Amino acid sequence: MALAPRLDLRQAQSLVMTPQLQQAIKLLQLSNLELTAYVESELERNPLLERDEGSEAAAPVEAEGRDTAEFAASDDLPASGEAPLDYDGYRAETTAPTADDGTDLGLVEAGMSSWEGGGSGGGRGDFEDDDRSLDERFGEVQSLRDHLVAQAQIDISDPGDRLIAWTLIDLLDESGYLIANLDDVAAQLGTNVARVERVLAMLQRLDPPGVAARSLKECLGLQLADRNRLDPAMQALLDNLPMLAARDIPGLLKVCGIDSEDLSDMIREIRALDPKPGLAFAGGTAEPVTPDILMRPLPDGSYFIELNPDTLPRVLINSRYYARVRKSALDRDAKDYLSEQLQSANWLVKALHQRATTVIKVASEIVRQQELFFDKGVQHLRPLILRDIAEAIGMHESTVSRVTTNKFMTTPRGLFELKYFFTSAIQSSEGGAAHSAEAVRYMIKRLIDAESPTEILSDDKIVEILLKDGIDIARRTVAKYRESMKISSSVQRRREKSFKI
């Protein structure tokens, strides 16, 4: 068989990811805050774009639109009356909730990981004039390092000891614990370990109590010593914290040499301590979650859904500036640059407009599908997957997945990530509609919360109760859901509730 070069003509279909399509896909999965940062960078790069700062009410748009691929493949621009992102929301044909009886689904903390109390950070304490707003000046939190350095400058007079103290302060983590080895610190500073330990003891007497500890036991011991409550029985309890976490009450009574009433009082004292004293000095204000979608009930029983206008970027194309500059552009390179920037600006406006309509369309369909959740609570959350939404609105699953990524919606029942409404299905034992996994978790938690100390429900018993309600679930699935909510086993709960820890 002879080998020779030849030319063949073949016809095939393929999807080409153009830069415009990539941009449209990228914008879909950004949250409003991330989108704002992206638009700001485009405003700096493209001279034909300008920020829309108009104060007029936004014009409503219908929650219709082509899929990302279809829109990006089109070369037509929006009509002159279509201002990008200027819409008033979408009204979902659902019924408003009659009562807000939602239950907090916060995880139940296991062991001794749930604590009360904690210190508070100090402020600036001065009245200097600066350019910051009143909210910024009174809202800031002093850092733990600044708080400790200010105290060390007063309490530690020796310059060498003060240098050691500053080194140790820099080695504290955000919870206030010392994460370094004292031998390494001594070698680094060229001193002996005894001196470093002496300075560490000085730091541990500073505010907040428990700071600069090297373990949870030492942290709690420092706080109890500050309260003059570190007696031998309490020290024995601290020496056996794993037994306390396991609720080994008989063992604790034996090692501490006290009765059950005294042990109960000691446990309450420990729970009032702060295991992470440094967190009160975060060094900055915690950023709350900003919703991308706003939802509120209307008097007629429907829901009003819109994108958050406070975080939604609005841009316009400055066509007058483009026309004026193009007339003065003489060379070909300048004209090519203007044409390229105009095309980029047009695609950005189209992509922003398509993103807005797509997000509203997906959110509205989620609200429609989860109507019972908003009416009656989480126990009525229905199973939902991406394919259900994609088929209902005529889009691809990948598009729905990108839209629901990093997007939060504020509702009459609280703030939820869009991904929250997608849960797996658990089949009904009676052949009816399937149950949502999240709703089953809620039912398990409710059953455990209502159990009495004399009738602790085992996983097998919970399976029997759920089966009577038409939920066909395996015992290992109940155990998995219980552990995901950090609910201890029936043996542990029996110890807890019998001793009322």
Side-chain angles (χ1 to χ4, degrees):
M1 179 178 178
L3 297 177
R6 66 179 186 178
L7 295 177
D8 289 331
L9 183 62
R10 297 180 180 178
Q11 186 176 10
Q13 291 182 340
S14 62
L15 177 62
V16 179
M17 293 287 289
T18 63
Q20 291 84 3
L21 177 57
Q22 295 178 16
Q23 182 188 56
I25 292 176
K26 178 182 178 181
L27 295 185
L28 267 182
Q29 58 192 13
L30 297 180
S31 66
N32 280 6
L33 296 180
E34 293 170 335
L35 182 66
T36 300
Y38 177 82
V39 169
E40 288 295 330
S41 64
E42 289 296 311
L43 287 171
E44 296 177 359
R45 186 185 65 82
N46 195 327
L48 300 182
L49 286 173
E50 65 179 15
R51 190 178 290 102
D52 181 11
E53 299 178 349
S55 59
E56 297 182 0
V61 300
E62 295 294 334
E64 300 178 357
R66 291 165 285 173
D67 205 345
T68 304
E70 298 175 357
F71 196 97
S74 174
D75 292 328
D76 60 323
L77 291 174
S80 59
E82 295 179 5
L85 305 181
D86 290 343
Y87 57 90
D88 205 14
Y90 178 75
R91 181 172 296 183
E93 297 300 329
T94 57
T95 305
T98 57
D100 191 3
D101 58 352
T103 303
D104 184 11
L105 293 182
L107 299 180
V108 179
E109 296 293 334
M112 293 305 295
S113 58
S114 178
W115 303 88
E116 301 174 357
S120 60
R124 283 173 55 91
D126 59 63
F127 298 91
E128 297 178 1
D129 293 332
D130 53 30
D131 296 331
R132 295 172 301 163
S133 67
L134 190 64
D135 291 339
E136 292 174 330
R137 293 178 62 186
F138 286 92
E140 68 177 8
V141 180
Q142 186 181 27
S143 68
L144 176 63
R145 184 185 185 279
D146 294 341
H147 185 67
L148 293 176
V149 166
Q151 297 178 74
Q153 288 177 339
I154 299 175
D155 294 358
I156 303 178
S157 57
D158 183 84
D161 291 346
R162 190 179 298 170
L163 176 62
I164 297 175
W166 289 343
T167 302
L168 294 175
I169 290 173
D170 289 335
L171 294 174
L172 300 180
D173 64 9
E174 63 178 6
S175 298
Y177 284 80
L178 181 63
I179 58 176
N181 185 280
L182 296 187
D183 293 334
D184 297 337
V185 175
Q188 175 186 348
L189 299 177
T191 184
N192 54 70
V193 178
R195 186 176 184 183
V196 176
E197 291 179 344
R198 178 167 54 83
V199 175
L200 176 61
M202 297 179 186
L203 282 182
Q204 292 177 344
R205 291 195 292 267
L206 300 180
D207 180 75
V211 75
R214 288 160 290 183
S215 65
L216 176 61
K217 170 186 171 182
E218 187 176 23
C219 178
L220 301 180
L222 291 171
Q223 296 180 55
L224 290 169
D226 182 70
R227 302 183 180 190
N228 196 25
R229 285 291 298 122
L230 191 59
D231 52 34
M234 187 67 79
Q235 184 63 56
L237 181 58
L238 294 180
D239 292 338
N240 295 275
L241 287 179
M243 295 176 63
L244 178 60
R247 268 70 169 186
D248 187 1
I249 305 305
L252 290 176
L253 292 174
K254 183 178 179 180
V255 297
C256 296
I258 55 178
D259 55 26
S260 59
E261 183 178 355
D262 290 338
L263 181 59
S264 180
D265 293 338
M266 291 166 59
I267 291 176
R268 279 195 292 269
E269 285 189 62
I270 289 183
R271 300 184 83 179
L273 303 177
D274 187 359
K276 298 180 180 180
L279 293 184
F281 303 84
T285 305
E287 292 292 336
V289 175
T290 302
D292 303 275
I293 306 163
L294 305 180
M295 167 189 167
R296 65 178 185 271
L298 295 177
D300 61 358
S302 62
Y303 287 122
F304 184 76
I305 301 175
E306 63 176 344
L307 293 182
N308 189 349
D310 294 335
T311 60
L312 197 62
R314 303 173 187 269
V315 293
L316 296 174
I317 300 175
N318 195 334
S319 56
R320 294 182 180 178
Y321 176 75
Y322 168 76
R324 185 170 66 252
V325 175
R326 185 170 178 81
K327 289 181 180 180
S328 61
L330 302 179
D331 57 0
R332 184 179 181 83
D333 292 341
K335 292 183 179 180
D336 290 344
Y337 172 77
L338 287 175
S339 299
E340 179 183 346
Q341 296 304 311
L342 178 62
Q343 183 182 15
S344 176
N346 284 333
W347 273 108
L348 178 61
V349 170
K350 291 171 62 177
L352 290 175
H353 183 267
Q354 176 65 11
R355 175 189 179 274
T357 57
T358 304
V359 171
I360 288 294
K361 192 172 186 179
V362 170
S364 301
E365 182 61 26
I366 290 175
V367 171
R368 190 187 70 83
Q369 298 262 12
Q370 299 291 2
E371 175 182 351
L372 287 178
F373 165 78
F374 298 104
D375 289 346
K376 301 180 180 179
V378 70
Q379 64 270 29
H380 296 278
L381 191 68
R382 57 167 293 187
L384 190 65
I385 58 177
L386 296 174
R387 187 186 303 115
D388 297 334
I389 301 296
E391 292 177 352
I393 63 178
M395 291 186 175
H396 196 270
E397 286 182 52
S398 61
T399 302
V400 177
S401 177
R402 292 186 179 96
V403 169
T404 54
T405 299
N406 297 325
K407 307 291 192 311
F408 289 83
M409 179 168 65
T410 179
T411 73
R413 292 195 175 275
L415 181 66
F416 297 94
E417 187 178 9
L418 292 184
K419 292 288 188 184
Y420 171 82
F421 299 102
F422 295 90
T423 60
S424 57
I426 296 179
Q427 297 302 320
S428 173
S429 60
E430 301 173 352
H435 301 271
S436 166
E438 191 65 32
V440 174
R441 285 191 183 93
Y442 170 79
M443 296 177 68
I444 293 173
K445 181 180 182 298
R446 189 175 60 179
L447 288 172
I448 293 177
D449 290 343
E451 65 185 4
S452 63
T454 58
E455 297 181 3
I456 301 298
L457 300 177
S458 64
D459 293 343
D460 291 325
K461 184 63 177 178
I462 293 176
V463 170
E464 295 178 7
I465 296 175
L466 293 178
L467 190 61
K468 293 179 181 178
D469 293 336
I471 301 175
D472 187 9
I473 188 173
R475 187 197 64 81
R476 63 179 180 274
T477 306
V478 171
K480 182 180 70 174
Y481 288 172
R482 174 178 53 75
E483 292 171 357
S484 69
M485 294 184 290
K486 297 186 179 180
I487 300 177
S488 54
S489 65
S490 57
V491 176
Q492 290 281 73
R493 299 200 307 274
R494 183 174 290 104
R495 292 176 181 174
E496 297 169 14
K497 296 191 176 184
S498 63
F499 197 67
K500 297 181 180 181
I501 295 182

